[in-house]
Amino acid sequence: MFNIKLLKKEAENLTVLYVEDDININKSVATYLRKLFKTVTAKFNGLEALESYKIGKYDLVITDINMPIMDGLEMSKKIKELNSEQNILITSAYSDSSKFIASIKIGIDGYIIKPINYDEFNTILIKTTTKINKFKDNELYSTELENLIEMKTSENSKLELDKINNYEKTLFSLVEMIETRDPYTGQHSHRVAKYSKMIAEQMAYSQVECEEIYKAGILHDIGKISIPDTILLNPNKLTNSEYHLIKNHVQIGYEFISKIPLFKNIAEIMYSHHERLDGSGYPNNLKEDEISIKSNIIAVADTFDAISTNRIYQKSRSVQEALQEIKSLSGIHFREEIVDAAQIILKDIEIKFNTSQLPQSKFEEQRFSYFYKDNLTQLYNDSYLDLILKDKTSKIEYTKIYLISLNNFGAYNREYSWYKGNELLVKIANFFIQTFKDSLIFRIYGDDFILLNKNNFIPKDKIHELNNILKSHYSKLTYTLRIMDIKEKNINSAFEIEKLIFN
């Protein structure tokens, strides 16, 4: 349990310079710090804080990164030039990944993730204040110099370990953020890390090496943080250019992680996890011994997870099938000794997840609308219909299709213009939205509409109200309603419906 009394004791004679441009956060955190420290000076930008620092030195500086006039990194760098021993804590959000790297180079003492968790904040404060007080004890320097050196070495080692742990937590949080962006492949990195470590242990790697491989597995896709949502979240098949952009995540991840000296070896392992023995991989088309064994271990684990996990255009296969395919690539993509170890250690793995690419919340529905909404009517489009018909779980809920086809709509466009035709389509779409609130509504192939309902029953009399809208615009406009049984008609894609409409 955290000892707040100990923190107050360590902080009661220390001074703090706190810098944050957000007025509400500044007021809240400064008020909290004043309950602990002797004095707290609060400033709202880096330049103002730097001037204050030059006038009166402080035991501890706590600063945000993103601020007007002068940001926290530039201010910290200038303070370190004035006093290289100055203790500085940085506060920032996960998204400041590049600035997080810059703060490491400056030599800051801790990194606090926003929004601030006060339990974690207190833990960092007590470690930092304890360190400050020990170094302020001049008498200890003069009377017990030898003991102090030994103590300082031990404390510095512990502080360095704390710093490593802080960096790791931040990097792993970035991975969590990436997988939260794409819940369809969520926990992929954790599974790859787990499988990689199991294979490494089977191959008799040391505990230290197994942990190194595990961390590389966790971070192997961190470069995807820079991939735009329009590509990363696209549930459809990627174009060649989009796939080329996705492949860049390897180089981006390597450049990001390799800038941290503590993770240099991990960066090297990550860099080659998409290389293949026959030279068919990327980013450098390495072959044979040019690829490290540890990288190839992650490659096998990554492939195993990809095969055994659902994808929209590829259903998951069994553990046995995944291992069989990996075995077929032994000596071609993967080293034989790694494949042999994987066959032994992964054969009893239980896949306990069943992913679906259909949106599970209002937030996901909005995200998916970028790909699945018709631009004119804002109804779902044929791509989303195709997704539902291909999805195994959705077929349990939807068994009937209500197909409504407009007749003579081309004649209406010719007589009244395409513009007027678009206005009428929007009006029809709004009618469907207001009348069938619990249904999924699609616009396909221009003037055809589909209704799906989990109850598999939609009142025909409500659909017949569409006549009033059509006749009020054009006497020749009519519609045809067809009710199709998905299983009976063997409908597995939007293309199957297209054939039924036009044949």
Side-chain angles (χ1 to χ4, degrees):
M1 181 179 239
F2 178 75
N3 192 336
I4 190 67
K5 291 182 179 180
L6 178 60
L7 174 56
K8 286 184 176 180
K9 181 180 178 181
E10 294 290 343
E12 63 184 358
N13 294 316
L14 301 181
T15 58
V16 176
L17 175 60
Y18 175 60
V19 197
E20 167 63 58
D21 64 310
D22 186 296
I23 296 175
N24 293 329
I25 296 176
N26 189 304
K27 182 178 179 181
S28 175
V29 176
T31 300
Y32 179 75
L33 291 173
R34 289 188 178 105
K35 296 177 181 178
L36 304 172
F37 290 86
K38 179 181 179 181
T39 60
V40 176
T41 302
K43 299 296 180 181
F44 292 90
N45 64 70
L47 183 60
E48 183 182 17
L50 181 61
E51 293 304 316
S52 179
Y53 183 90
K54 291 177 180 178
I55 297 171
K57 305 296 184 183
Y58 297 89
D59 295 307
L60 176 62
V61 176
I62 305 174
T63 180
D64 187 25
I65 289 183
N66 292 319
M67 295 185 295
I69 305 178
M70 179 186 290
D71 67 23
L73 292 182
E74 184 178 357
M75 181 202 75
S76 298
K77 185 177 180 181
K78 291 183 181 297
I79 287 176
K80 283 288 188 179
E81 291 173 355
L82 295 172
N83 178 12
S84 62
E85 299 299 323
Q86 178 62 54
N87 292 276
I88 301 175
L89 300 178
I90 290 287
T91 67
S92 184
Y94 290 146
S95 57
D96 294 324
S97 55
S98 61
K99 293 183 178 179
F100 166 65
I101 296 296
S103 69
I104 294 173
K105 293 181 178 180
I106 293 172
I108 55 98
D109 295 86
Y111 198 86
I112 303 161
I113 300 299
K114 295 168 67 177
I116 294 175
N117 179 308
Y118 278 85
D119 287 338
E120 295 177 359
F121 190 28
N122 288 337
T123 300
I124 294 175
L125 286 178
I126 198 167
K127 291 177 181 177
T128 307
T129 54
T130 301
K131 172 189 170 186
I132 293 171
N133 283 323
K134 287 187 181 297
F135 281 101
K136 288 185 73 175
D137 193 343
N138 293 323
E139 184 179 354
L140 183 62
Y141 269 97
S142 59
T143 59
E144 298 183 30
L145 182 58
E146 185 176 339
N147 291 337
L148 176 64
I149 292 173
E150 184 179 346
M151 184 187 302
K152 181 178 179 181
T153 301
S154 176
E155 288 172 355
N156 284 344
S157 297
K158 187 175 183 304
L159 288 168
E160 189 66 19
L161 182 61
D162 289 339
K163 187 183 292 187
I164 292 171
N165 290 335
N166 198 7
Y167 292 161
E168 283 186 359
K169 286 180 181 178
T170 303
L171 291 171
F172 292 172
S173 294
L174 290 174
V175 172
E176 294 289 344
M177 183 176 68
I178 294 167
E179 297 197 334
T180 300
R181 287 169 72 199
D182 184 13
Y184 187 57
T185 55
Q187 297 301 305
H188 164 72
S189 295
H190 289 274
R191 292 193 299 271
V192 169
K194 173 186 172 183
Y195 300 153
S196 298
K197 185 178 180 180
M198 291 172 66
I199 294 171
E201 289 172 339
Q202 178 65 27
M203 295 176 69
Y205 276 90
S206 70
Q207 183 177 352
V208 172
E209 289 175 307
C210 288
E211 284 301 317
E212 184 179 59
I213 291 170
Y214 179 84
K215 290 174 183 176
I218 288 282
L219 298 172
H220 79 285
D221 275 345
I222 198 169
K224 288 184 178 178
I225 194 171
S226 65
I227 303 299
D229 281 358
T230 52
I231 295 177
L232 184 65
L233 305 182
N234 188 351
N236 303 307
K237 288 183 177 178
L238 299 177
T239 64
N240 288 336
S241 60
E242 288 171 336
Y243 181 59
H244 180 73
L245 284 173
I246 283 285
K247 290 200 296 185
N248 283 342
H249 80 274
V250 177
Q251 184 70 35
I252 294 166
Y254 173 74
E255 291 175 356
F256 177 25
I257 299 300
S258 64
K259 290 177 182 176
I260 307 175
L262 299 170
F263 293 89
K264 183 67 177 175
N265 289 341
I266 291 173
E268 295 297 333
I269 297 172
M270 292 163 48
Y271 195 31
S272 301
H273 78 274
H274 275 296
E275 301 287 0
R276 299 294 181 258
L277 298 186
D278 61 0
S280 62
Y282 63 87
N284 297 311
N285 302 116
L286 301 181
K287 294 182 178 180
E288 302 285 343
D289 293 337
E290 295 174 333
I291 305 167
S292 78
I293 297 178
K294 294 177 182 178
S295 298
N296 208 223
I297 288 175
I298 294 179
V300 169
D302 193 24
T303 301
F304 176 81
D305 188 63
I307 297 172
S308 59
T309 306
N310 279 330
R311 294 292 184 270
I312 186 58
Y313 289 103
Q314 173 190 297
K315 295 300 179 183
S316 64
R317 284 173 277 171
S318 68
V319 169
Q320 291 71 28
E321 288 173 315
L323 290 175
Q324 186 59 42
E325 180 162 335
I326 288 171
K327 187 174 183 178
S328 71
L329 296 169
S330 180
I332 302 172
H333 285 181
F334 312 121
R335 295 176 185 269
E336 293 180 3
E337 62 268 33
I338 300 174
V339 172
D340 291 343
Q343 301 294 316
I344 296 171
I345 201 66
L346 298 181
K347 63 182 175 61
D348 296 322
I349 285 288
E350 291 186 17
I351 309 298
K352 298 181 179 179
F353 46 87
N354 182 25
T355 54
S356 171
Q357 203 165 8
L358 299 179
Q360 303 298 312
S361 65
K362 291 293 183 184
F363 171 78
E364 289 185 19
E365 285 181 3
Q366 290 301 313
R367 192 199 78 188
F368 271 56
S369 69
Y370 182 89
F371 305 100
Y372 289 140
K373 287 290 182 75
D374 171 51
N375 289 333
L376 175 64
T377 64
Q378 291 305 297
L379 299 178
Y380 289 115
N381 58 24
D382 57 338
S383 293
Y384 190 40
L385 177 63
D386 206 46
L387 178 93
I388 288 180
L389 295 173
K390 288 178 183 292
D391 187 85
K392 187 176 181 180
T393 59
S394 69
K395 290 184 180 179
I396 300 173
E397 297 180 325
Y398 306 108
T399 61
K400 292 185 184 299
I401 291 175
Y402 286 72
L403 172 62
I404 302 165
S405 301
L406 302 183
N407 303 318
N408 300 316
F409 201 82
Y412 179 81
N413 281 334
R414 288 190 294 273
E415 184 163 340
Y416 293 98
S417 78
W418 287 97
Y419 179 79
K420 288 293 183 181
N422 285 344
E423 284 186 339
L424 180 53
L425 288 172
V426 171
K427 191 169 184 178
I428 293 170
N430 289 334
F431 161 75
F432 286 136
I433 292 170
Q434 293 168 12
T435 307
F436 306 105
K437 293 183 175 10
D438 297 327
S439 299
L440 293 181
I441 309 166
F442 306 80
R443 178 194 173 203
I444 61 173
Y445 313 122
D447 52 11
D448 294 293
F449 299 86
I450 282 178
L451 304 180
L452 291 179
N453 188 288
K454 290 182 180 179
N455 296 325
N456 295 301
F457 174 75
I458 295 175
K460 294 181 183 178
D461 59 325
K462 291 293 184 181
I463 298 177
H464 291 333
E465 293 177 15
L466 178 62
N467 269 324
N468 298 330
I469 298 175
L470 298 177
K471 296 302 180 183
S472 66
H473 285 76
Y474 190 48
S475 60
K476 296 180 182 179
L477 280 177
T478 60
Y479 73 88
T480 300
L481 170 64
R482 280 178 279 183
I483 303 174
M484 305 177 184
D485 186 286
I486 293 177
K487 186 175 181 180
E488 180 184 321
K489 295 289 187 181
N490 193 28
I491 299 173
N492 296 304
S493 67
F495 177 69
E496 299 294 334
I497 297 176
E498 181 184 4
K499 290 194 295 185
L500 292 172
I501 291 174
F502 296 109
N503 286 347

